[in-house]
Amino acid sequence: MPLDPVRPISAGSVQPAPSLTLLANALAPALLVVVLTASACSRQEGVELSGSVQDPSGAHIPHAVVLVTDAAREVAEATTAGADGSFRIEGLPPSRSYRIEVRGPSGFEPDVRDLDLTTDRHLDVVLEIEPIVEAIVISGPPPQPPSVRPGEPRRSVRVGGNVRRATLVNFVEPTFPADAVSQGVGGTVQLEGVIGTGGRLVGISTLNSIVDERLVSAASDAVRQWRYNPTLLNGRPVETVVTISVAFEIP
């Protein structure tokens, strides 16, 4: 969505994402973000959600992803904060039951809250630093093997819990449609699909609706060509849900 030109504001202690940003991928639901740029877009009907994303020091966080959902009304929209950490989503149907989720770069906890959006709202979000969780195992002496009676089969236990995240190995960058650029049309396309056991994306669908169809087509055409090393669970490939946000950004 269009943002007024502003002075760049320095990011916080976590390094800012580049203009083409992969915030995350892999385990369900995974999140992957691509940011493209062009120039100016027109306001749509409905209520507006605007705001900024900051770190605990007050520095602005660029390119955070803002997801807006209302399950009851089947509304799912997304946008990406600009280089100054500000964001705006226009044309949202008024509702008292929106859920807002803001995700920043690795190292920050996502901010999730319920919001009444029956009129235009401004929301300043502070993303807290993600806590560090350590786990250690202290082993005692090995247990004595249980006695097995003659003729009784030995019982075995299948040990699991070993997951290796899917990794993107073939990336095709979406192309900003020339006619959309000339008309100043931008927005964020939110896609969902499944990384198959062979590494291909299948079942790709569009989650949001307040976005130009030309941008949806450009994002979908590129994403269908992406290839992954699939997620491995205990050494075996498994299907994984992935959410991909492609932001055609208006500077």
Side-chain angles (χ1 to χ4, degrees):
M1 291 301 165
L3 298 177
D4 295 333
V6 294
R7 297 178 182 176
I9 300 176
S10 61
S13 58
V14 177
Q15 294 183 357
S19 63
L20 181 60
T21 309
L22 300 181
L23 289 186
N25 60 18
L27 298 177
L31 180 64
L32 186 63
V33 177
V34 180
V35 180
L36 305 174
T37 60
S39 63
C41 178
S42 60
R43 180 179 174 90
Q44 301 181 38
E45 297 298 328
V47 299
E48 174 186 299
L49 173 67
S50 62
S52 67
V53 186
Q54 305 173 21
D55 67 18
S57 74
H60 288 225
I61 300 175
H63 306 307
V65 175
V66 182
L67 307 175
V68 181
T69 58
D70 184 343
R73 295 170 177 258
E74 297 184 348
V75 174
E77 300 299 336
T79 192
T80 303
D84 64 340
S86 63
F87 64 88
R88 179 181 294 118
I89 302 179
E90 299 172 333
L92 291 168
S95 174
R96 298 181 182 275
S97 56
Y98 276 113
R99 170 150 292 191
I100 313 300
E101 181 175 358
V102 180
R103 290 182 174 270
S106 177
F108 289 102
E109 285 194 290
D111 182 279
V112 181
R113 63 182 73 187
D114 295 325
L115 196 64
D116 182 336
L117 271 180
T118 50
T119 59
D120 292 352
R121 291 287 299 271
H122 183 88
L123 183 66
D124 292 318
V125 178
V126 176
L127 296 184
E128 300 295 336
I129 297 175
E130 187 176 39
I132 297 174
V133 179
E134 301 284 6
I136 61 173
V137 176
I138 307 300
S139 299
Q144 296 296 320
S147 58
V148 179
R149 298 177 182 178
E152 182 180 355
R154 292 182 177 272
R155 291 181 295 177
S156 61
V157 177
R158 183 170 177 265
V159 178
N162 181 18
V163 175
R164 191 187 76 181
R165 292 170 177 258
T167 54
L168 182 62
V169 295
N170 182 53
F171 171 77
V172 176
E173 181 174 344
T175 301
F176 212 132
D179 55 344
V181 173
S182 64
Q183 296 171 18
V185 175
T188 298
V189 180
Q190 191 179 8
L191 303 173
E192 184 178 84
V194 174
I195 303 171
T197 56
R200 292 179 177 270
L201 274 170
V202 296
I204 298 173
S205 60
T206 307
L207 297 180
N208 57 332
S209 58
I210 308 177
V211 63
D212 193 276
E213 286 298 325
R214 292 168 293 183
L215 306 183
V216 174
S217 179
S220 301
D221 289 346
V223 166
R224 286 191 181 95
Q225 302 176 63
W226 292 5
R227 297 294 180 268
Y228 291 80
N229 285 329
T231 297
L232 298 182
L233 177 60
N234 303 324
R236 296 183 178 181
V238 294
E239 292 184 344
T240 308
V241 175
V242 59
T243 301
I244 303 169
S245 292
V246 181
F248 296 88
E249 189 175 71
I250 306 299

